[in-house]
Amino acid sequence: PSLRSFQPNGASEETLRCEIEELKRKDLALDQEIAQLLSEGYSLEELDKHISLLHEYNEIKDAGQMLLGKLAVIRGVTTKQLYPEYDLELSD
């Protein structure tokens, strides 16, 4: 099958090539960032654990935000108005 048969929403070959190049640049940047962290003494296991903990944190934070949103709807207020009641900072 040709590249054209896989193009979503009629995207051009040139658009797809640009997207591929951008992904390659991001991949290279991430590889460089990992190399930098390794050179600073971090281990791959430590980095993997940190990434795993960040994912877990984000999932818990998303659940908390969802609950705050539902509570705000029930009370007829904005989520922002609930923050002081639960000792949350707006940056949380």
Side-chain angles (χ1 to χ4, degrees), residues 23-36:
L23 289 171
K24 286 180 181 179
R25 283 191 290 277
K26 287 180 181 180
D27 185 50
L28 179 60
L30 289 172
D31 286 344
Q32 290 171 342
E33 189 174 343
I34 289 169
Q36 174 67 32

Side-chain angles (χ1 to χ4, degrees), residues 37-75:
L37 290 169
L38 292 173
S39 74
E40 292 174 5
Y42 293 96
S43 69
L44 286 178
E45 294 80 19
E46 196 174 15
L47 294 173
D48 285 342
K49 179 67 175 172
H50 186 73
I51 290 169
S52 175
L53 289 171
L54 283 173
H55 284 297
E56 185 177 346
Y57 167 81
N58 285 328
E59 288 173 6
I60 292 168
K61 184 177 176 183
D62 289 346
Q65 289 293 325
M66 183 182 67
L67 290 173
L68 276 176
K70 289 182 182 223
L71 183 59
V73 169
I74 290 169
R75 291 188 180 177

